[in-house]
Amino acid sequence: MKQLSTKVTSNAHGQDSSYFLGWEEYEKNPYDEIKNPNGIIQMGLAENQLCFDLIETWLAKNPDAAGLKKDGQSIFKELALFQDYHGLPEFKKALAEFMEEIRGNRVTFDPRKIVLAAGSTSANETLMFCLAEPGEAFLLPTPYYPGFDRDLKWRTGAEIVPIHCSSSNGFQITESALQQAYQQAQKLDLNVKGILVTNPSNPLGTMLTRRELNLLVDFITSKNIHLISDEIYSGTVFGFEQFVSVMDVLKDKKLENTEVSKRVHVVYSLSKDLGLPGFRVGAIYSNDEMVVSAATKMSSFGLVSSQTQYLLSALLSDKKFTGTYLNENKKRLKIRQRQLVSGLEAAGVTCLKSNAGLFCWVDMRHLLDTNTFEAELELWKKIVYEVKLNISPGSSCHCTEPGWFRVCFANMSEETLDLAMKRLKEYVESTDSNRLISKSSHERIKSLRKRTVSNWVFRVSWTDRVPDER
Amino acid sequence: MKQLSTKVTSNGHGQDSSYFLGWEEYEKNPYDEIKNPNGMIQMGLAENQLCFDLIESWLAKNPDAASLKRKGQSIFKELALFQDYHGMPEFKKAMAEFMEEIRGNRVTFDPKKIVLAAGSTSANETLMFCLAEPGDAFLLPTPYYPGFDRDLKWRTGAEIVPIHCSSSNGFQITESALQQAYQQAHKLGLKVKGVLVTNPSNPLGTALTRRELNLLVDFITSKNIHLISDEIYSGTMFGFEQFISVMDVLKDKKLENTEVSKRVHVVYSLSKDLGLPGFRVGAIYSNDDMIVSAATKMSSFGLVSSQTQYLLSALLSDKKFTSQYLEENQKRLKSRQKRLVSGLESAGITCLRSNAGLFCWVDMRHLLDTNTFEAELDLWKKIVYNVKLNISPGSSCHCTEPGWFRVCFANMSEDTLDLALKRLKTFVESTDCGRMISRSSHERLKSLRKKTVSNWVFRVSWSDRVPDER
């Protein structure tokens, strides 16, 4: 008799993808300015390391928050016992206000409609359990975060059907792409329950336009399905335009308190905006009481530590801090993104014009030997093993066009970013020279690489290490 | 089209049970020595509030642990970024050693076989996802923790088939009960994947005997199924006997490193022994690599906050603290349990002889009007509304005999416990008098109560509040 569930024995956790393999290679040979200056520079990790000093300063001035005290008195016992799955009221209030602040206070969030979760990983899975039966599908625009294959499908049994986006219009979602995806799901005999978008987008680094948001709301209205807007990067918008949330669109279309608004759910987390992935703080926001009620009960499986809720409710309740932080965060992200973009340009590499996120969506199509995913994987291997930069290949994000890569910029120092750009430039220049070598030796090298790719793929198919990052 | 999943619309979360309703009533009218001396005393919450002073002293002497510092230096950034689902190595090491210490260092726990989870609620569900397909069954001895109906079945689709235990032998597990349960599962067309026991038992407060443990190991060996031993109360053993873990039995039967040992899994948590349910710290321990690997990936959905891992790894690494704590915890639990037992005795009430846990399994069969669950519910309502004690009726724990109740003793002060016992004594004495009133008025009251029960059950069928406690 089969001893373990198919969830264990299949590969549905999605961790055999190249996305995670680059991480493994990095772990074997990580760059260190002093100890390992020739190591691999991690550019595949969407972490925000730019504003820790602001939080550390706040912590130093407010020792009670971490010290489990209130007004100098220990509240350890109260926190140790607090396991109410409704969450710490002051924390949900502070979180709601922070989400409002990020949206320029144009929309309001009711703390009672917030359900806390252990990170947005947990929030997204819980929403799937609430909205989809096993075998039902959600439509996701490509390219999308590789972790969704695990988060949305693995234990829930739900399916993902891609909404194909292309570089021809900057990867924006079009009506025809939406319809095509919907029909594809029907062809596959899958009941479509909704659409999930990440806004701002991972891996694109762009915000959904108002046009796209209107299109999405109209589409879910006509099809009577759900819309999940994962707004985990909402506080990383650094462009001139302000962030337009799906909540803004509901308000502007006068759809608040309607049936449609009950089918629009927002997911949030403090892992990107505040750079706190280790603290496991995520949230679901829904106008549907039944969803809030069920998700609240389900949050039992991933509650936020009361110790952490207390610390962060103090931090986020400090409006002086949040105002300064959001402002400074934007500034620093903008500068760092510019540094990456110009560094890439100096190497003759362009990227999608971005205004948010912790990464750029980089166009390396001109560096491919052929317009194929095999060539993309080849290029990626060279960049990982020779240039020693861990970046994420577009195929791992289900991109339909080969040659795009996600490159992170907010998880390293300026100097390290400069070094990474220098290495890339050298590589590209040497590649340009090489393109002039004889065709026959070029063909020989190509076929050698092809064999190497196959062997390597089989050899490293069981990877144990994964970043929980996005 | 059905908008929400059946997980939302059905009552699979199990929260319509009386167990949770008593909680709701308590919340409306909670006892407070000064502010509400006639309020309801909470005796349905298995919390350990007896040793917080020991932890608070430790925290005062070791401020770095909570303040996110190491040797006076801030490690905030390191913790903020730490989201590795393998867990903090120093924390897993400290957990492994703590588990060994609780078992008298007779068995060893390899930190690499530990998978952290957000509480044992998360750990148990994850194990179900790993071991059972939807529709597969686990056998559980009755009475059992009401939360298992949600934790083991709700989102996993697994089934529970009870192993009926009776008061005739102190609710011990017998071979015939095991076989009967196994056959019952077959009759229901369910594939049995394993047995899950809580040891020491909730709600019985007794540790499994060596005979029972041997029986269980032999049974799972012959049926080629799994055994999950939830040892969440292992550190609350206060009797003269030492706690025997299933790991002891594997060792004594020389089954370590065999196929059978790969099917034995232990679940642990710091919510009961250390009284920290708010911090969400649970663990799975398994000898099966594939399970450790899959459960580790699944822990992404419920990681322990790095802030909490750091604090507790410092606490548990202090061996002077842990040994003092375990000893003192035992002492205080023992004397508090004695207080409850003698208080009950003076009210003419006995309970199952217990040697562990935070509660007693109390025999109120003689106070029932009839030997029925309706009468048990009747009695329970009286105790909740008239005596103003929230205790847990045996039917909510799936006990097959009416009249048993779980009464907690470690979540209140001595004075409150004394008051609770006084109220109970007063009630019992008045009931004895009451039993002498005329038959006809008695019948009238009975039928009135029956009507009240039905209405009330329908009226409060959607309970929103739940204790995540056990």
Side-chain angles (χ1 to χ4, degrees):
Chain A
M1 175 183 68
K2 195 161 52 62
Q3 289 277 325
L4 307 176
S5 72
T6 46
K7 287 176 182 59
V8 171
T9 54
S10 74
N11 282 341
H13 50 71
Q15 266 166 234
D16 293 347
S17 107
S18 52
Y19 178 74
F20 300 110
L21 297 171
W23 177 267
E24 197 180 56
E25 288 307 310
Y26 164 78
E27 289 282 319
K28 289 183 198 161
N29 182 22
Y31 169 80
D32 182 281
E33 201 181 344
I34 296 155
K35 297 182 234 170
N36 190 19
N38 293 320
I40 297 180
I41 295 173
Q42 176 63 281
M43 306 191 87
L45 200 43
E47 283 174 345
N48 182 357
Q49 295 196 26
L50 304 188
C51 291
F52 283 133
D53 58 312
L54 300 178
I55 302 179
E56 294 204 22
T57 302
W58 187 92
L59 287 171
K61 288 195 205 130
N62 299 272
D64 274 7
L68 309 170
K69 291 182 181 150
K70 190 180 274 163
D71 300 322
Q73 297 302 314
S74 168
I75 54 161
F76 165 73
K77 174 176 163 174
E78 183 189 316
L79 293 176
L81 292 172
F82 187 84
Q83 56 171 334
D84 183 352
Y85 59 20
H86 291 97
L88 212 71
E90 47 272 39
F91 180 50
K92 294 215 299 189
K93 179 173 180 289
L95 193 59
E97 289 166 355
F98 189 58
M99 290 169 75
E100 289 171 354
E101 194 173 351
I102 285 174
R103 291 156 186 74
N105 291 307
R106 297 181 305 272
V107 291
T108 51
F109 286 93
D110 180 352
R112 286 170 313 199
K113 295 179 178 179
I114 291 179
V115 181
L116 298 175
S120 54
T121 297
S122 173
N124 279 317
E125 191 199 39
T126 291
L127 258 185
M128 279 298 120
F129 273 122
C130 288
L131 304 179
E133 300 295 346
E136 293 186 325
F138 260 74
L139 311 181
L140 267 66
T142 64
Y144 64 76
Y145 162 55
F148 279 149
D149 290 321
R150 172 194 65 188
D151 300 353
L152 308 181
K153 305 193 314 180
W154 191 18
R155 307 191 307 178
T156 62
E159 296 289 344
I160 293 175
V161 174
I163 302 164
H164 294 303
C165 299
S166 94
S167 58
S168 59
N169 72 341
F171 294 92
Q172 289 189 38
I173 301 168
T174 63
E175 167 124 42
S176 72
L178 269 173
Q179 297 287 3
Q180 258 188 316
Y182 192 85
Q183 282 151 32
Q184 176 61 9
Q186 316 236 286
K187 271 195 209 129
L188 296 170
D189 214 21
L190 300 169
N191 202 20
V192 176
K193 270 332 228 326
I195 299 176
L196 187 150
V197 297
T198 306
N199 180 30
S201 161
N202 174 13
L204 301 176
T206 53
M207 294 187 292
L208 288 181
T209 58
R210 200 174 268 279
R211 185 195 62 81
E212 288 168 285
L213 287 163
N214 282 323
L215 175 64
L216 287 164
V217 172
D218 292 342
F219 189 81
I220 64 145
T221 303
S222 77
K223 302 289 189 202
N224 201 25
I225 57 178
H226 296 271
L227 175 61
I228 299 173
S229 183
D230 185 343
E231 301 188 350
I232 190 177
Y233 289 99
S234 48
T236 66
V237 175
F238 53 77
F240 287 117
E241 318 90 331
Q242 55 185 200
F243 172 61
V244 178
S245 163
V246 70
M247 302 302 265
D248 281 291
V249 169
L250 285 179
K251 184 178 180 186
D252 299 340
K253 284 164 88 82
K254 300 198 181 350
L255 289 171
E256 285 168 321
N257 303 313
T258 63
E259 266 310 296
V260 177
S261 72
K262 282 187 165 182
R263 297 201 307 275
V264 175
H265 320 278
V266 172
V267 167
Y268 187 52
S269 160
L270 299 181
S271 300
K272 306 297 173 182
D273 295 345
L274 285 185
L276 308 173
F279 289 2
R280 314 314 303 147
V281 181
I284 295 167
Y285 187 87
S286 177
N287 291 305
D288 185 324
E289 286 158 9
M290 284 186 80
V291 172
V292 171
S293 177
T296 298
K297 293 175 176 70
M298 285 189 187
S299 69
S300 300
F301 300 109
L303 294 176
V304 180
S305 170
S306 57
Q307 183 190 6
T308 299
Q309 290 191 53
Y310 181 65
L311 169 61
L312 297 179
S313 81
L315 183 75
L316 295 183
S317 298
D318 186 338
K319 304 307 180 194
K320 192 148 166 273
F321 168 80
T322 58
T324 309
Y325 183 93
L326 288 171
N327 216 8
E328 194 57 29
N329 189 37
K330 269 187 176 170
K331 275 193 202 152
R332 298 183 189 185
L333 285 171
K334 186 172 196 165
I335 292 171
R336 196 58 67 83
Q337 184 253 22
R338 283 225 165 115
Q339 190 184 344
L340 173 63
V341 171
S342 28
L344 289 170
E345 273 172 8
V349 177
T350 58
C351 43
L352 186 68
K353 189 165 178 296
S354 70
N355 47 15
L358 310 173
F359 32 73
C360 283
W361 188 237
V362 180
D363 187 354
M364 297 202 193
R365 290 177 290 176
H366 60 298
L367 297 175
L368 297 183
D369 284 335
T370 52
N371 183 29
T372 61
F373 286 111
E374 287 74 23
E376 177 185 282
L377 208 57
E378 249 188 55
L379 175 60
W380 176 68
K381 276 189 66 196
K382 266 184 260 174
I383 294 175
V384 169
Y385 292 107
E386 295 170 24
V387 190
K388 302 238 186 60
L389 305 178
N390 181 34
I391 63 179
S392 311
S395 50
S396 68
C397 303
H398 302 278
C399 186
T400 48
E401 301 173 26
W404 292 88
F405 291 79
R406 188 191 78 167
V407 180
C408 299
F409 56 75
N411 63 309
M412 67 194 76
S413 68
E414 271 185 35
E415 291 80 19
T416 308
L417 183 52
D418 279 341
L419 174 60
M421 293 298 95
K422 189 157 151 271
R423 287 184 188 177
L424 186 62
K425 186 167 189 228
E426 277 166 14
Y427 166 74
V428 169
E429 283 168 355
S430 73
T431 308
D432 283 342
S433 314
N434 282 343
R435 287 183 186 285
L436 297 176
I437 62 177
S438 77
K439 201 174 207 269
S440 61
S441 60
H442 190 60
E443 290 303 312
R444 257 185 286 125
I445 297 171
K446 253 177 72 178
S447 80
L448 181 67
R449 275 186 231 122
K450 275 212 179 110
R451 282 208 293 279
T452 318
V453 170
S454 320
N455 289 344
W456 167 80
V457 164
F458 286 124
R459 207 167 63 232
V460 293
S461 59
W462 249 106
T463 178
D464 187 51
R465 197 141 198 102
V466 76
D468 241 334
E469 61 81 28
R470 309 169 147 227
Chain B
M1 175 184 67
K2 196 163 51 63
Q3 291 276 323
L4 305 177
S5 73
T6 45
K7 287 174 182 62
V8 171
T9 53
S10 74
N11 283 340
H13 49 72
Q15 266 166 235
D16 293 346
S17 107
S18 52
Y19 178 73
F20 301 111
L21 297 170
W23 178 268
E24 196 180 57
E25 289 306 310
Y26 164 78
E27 290 284 319
K28 289 181 197 162
N29 182 24
Y31 169 81
D32 182 282
E33 203 180 343
I34 298 154
K35 296 182 233 168
N36 190 18
N38 292 321
M40 206 173 290
I41 296 174
Q42 175 63 281
M43 304 189 88
L45 201 42
E47 284 174 345
N48 181 357
Q49 295 195 26
L50 304 188
C51 292
F52 282 132
D53 57 313
L54 300 179
I55 301 179
E56 293 201 4
S57 299
W58 187 92
L59 287 172
K61 287 192 211 132
N62 300 271
D64 274 7
S67 312
L68 311 170
K69 290 182 182 151
R70 186 182 285 140
K71 299 192 187 133
Q73 297 301 318
S74 168
I75 53 161
F76 166 73
K77 174 175 164 172
E78 183 188 318
L79 293 178
L81 292 172
F82 185 84
Q83 56 170 335
D84 184 353
Y85 60 20
H86 291 96
M88 208 166 270
E90 47 273 35
F91 180 50
K92 296 215 295 188
K93 178 172 180 290
M95 276 282 271
E97 289 166 355
F98 188 59
M99 290 169 74
E100 289 171 353
E101 193 172 353
I102 286 174
R103 290 157 187 72
N105 290 308
R106 296 181 305 272
V107 292
T108 51
F109 287 92
D110 178 355
K112 289 181 306 235
K113 296 179 180 180
I114 291 179
V115 180
L116 298 174
S120 55
T121 298
S122 173
N124 279 316
E125 191 199 39
T126 291
L127 258 186
M128 279 299 121
F129 274 123
C130 288
L131 302 180
E133 300 295 345
D136 286 345
F138 261 73
L139 311 181
L140 267 66
T142 64
Y144 64 76
Y145 162 56
F148 278 149
D149 290 320
R150 172 196 66 190
D151 300 353
L152 307 181
K153 305 192 319 181
W154 190 20
R155 306 191 308 178
T156 63
E159 296 290 345
I160 293 175
V161 174
I163 301 163
H164 294 302
C165 299
S166 95
S167 58
S168 59
N169 71 342
F171 295 93
Q172 289 190 38
I173 301 169
T174 63
E175 165 123 43
S176 72
L178 268 171
Q179 296 288 1
Q180 257 187 315
Y182 192 83
Q183 282 150 30
Q184 176 61 10
H186 275 248
K187 274 197 206 126
L188 296 170
L190 302 170
K191 191 185 286 182
V192 176
K193 275 327 230 328
V195 179
L196 186 150
V197 297
T198 306
N199 179 29
S201 161
N202 174 12
L204 300 177
T206 53
L208 289 180
T209 58
R210 197 175 274 279
R211 185 195 63 79
E212 288 167 286
L213 287 163
N214 282 325
L215 174 65
L216 286 163
V217 172
D218 292 342
F219 188 77
I220 64 144
T221 303
S222 76
K223 303 291 188 200
N224 200 26
I225 58 180
H226 296 271
L227 176 61
I228 298 173
S229 182
D230 185 343
E231 303 187 350
I232 190 177
Y233 289 99
S234 47
T236 66
M237 185 107 179
F238 52 78
F240 287 118
E241 319 90 329
Q242 54 187 201
F243 172 62
I244 303 173
S245 163
V246 70
M247 302 302 263
D248 281 290
V249 169
L250 285 179
K251 181 177 180 188
D252 300 341
K253 283 164 88 79
K254 297 195 181 353
L255 289 171
E256 283 169 323
N257 303 312
T258 63
E259 266 311 295
V260 177
S261 72
K262 283 186 165 182
R263 296 201 306 274
V264 175
H265 321 281
V266 172
V267 166
Y268 187 53
S269 161
L270 298 181
S271 300
K272 308 297 174 181
D273 295 346
L274 285 185
L276 308 173
F279 287 5
R280 313 314 304 148
V281 181
I284 295 167
Y285 187 86
S286 178
N287 290 306
D288 186 323
D289 294 337
M290 283 186 81
I291 290 184
V292 171
S293 176
T296 298
K297 294 175 176 69
M298 286 189 187
S299 70
S300 301
F301 301 109
L303 295 175
V304 180
S305 170
S306 58
Q307 183 190 6
T308 299
Q309 289 191 53
Y310 180 65
L311 170 61
L312 298 178
S313 81
L315 183 76
L316 296 182
S317 298
D318 185 340
K319 304 306 179 194
K320 192 151 167 267
F321 168 80
T322 58
S323 63
Q324 260 177 9
Y325 182 93
L326 287 172
E327 203 183 308
E328 194 58 29
N329 189 37
Q330 273 191 3
K331 274 194 203 146
R332 297 182 188 184
L333 286 171
K334 185 173 194 162
S335 84
R336 193 57 68 83
Q337 183 253 24
K338 277 207 168 131
R339 205 179 188 92
L340 172 64
V341 171
S342 30
L344 289 170
E345 268 170 15
S346 72
I349 297 172
T350 58
C351 42
L352 185 67
R353 195 166 168 287
S354 72
N355 50 10
L358 309 173
F359 33 73
C360 284
W361 188 236
V362 180
D363 186 355
M364 298 202 193
R365 289 177 291 176
H366 60 296
L367 297 175
L368 297 183
D369 286 334
T370 53
N371 182 28
T372 61
F373 287 110
E374 287 76 21
E376 179 186 281
L377 210 57
D378 237 28
L379 175 60
W380 176 67
K381 276 189 68 197
K382 266 184 259 176
I383 294 176
V384 169
Y385 292 106
N386 302 348
V387 192
K388 306 239 186 58
L389 304 178
N390 181 36
I391 62 178
S392 311
S395 50
S396 68
C397 303
H398 301 277
C399 186
T400 48
E401 300 173 27
W404 292 88
F405 291 79
R406 188 191 78 169
V407 180
C408 299
F409 57 75
N411 64 309
M412 67 196 75
S413 69
E414 269 186 26
D415 297 333
T416 308
L417 182 54
D418 284 344
L419 173 61
L421 291 166
K422 187 154 152 271
R423 287 184 186 176
L424 188 60
K425 188 170 185 205
T426 310
F427 167 73
V428 169
E429 283 166 357
S430 76
T431 307
D432 284 342
C433 302
R435 286 182 188 287
M436 312 225 250
I437 60 176
S438 77
R439 199 157 211 263
S440 61
S441 60
H442 190 61
E443 288 305 311
R444 255 185 287 124
L445 276 164
K446 252 177 72 178
S447 81
L448 180 67
R449 272 183 237 125
K450 273 206 178 114
K451 283 210 289 283
T452 317
V453 170
S454 319
N455 290 341
W456 166 81
V457 164
F458 286 124
R459 207 169 61 234
V460 293
S461 59
W462 250 106
S463 170
D464 188 51
R465 194 138 199 108
V466 76
D468 241 335
E469 60 80 26
R470 309 168 147 227

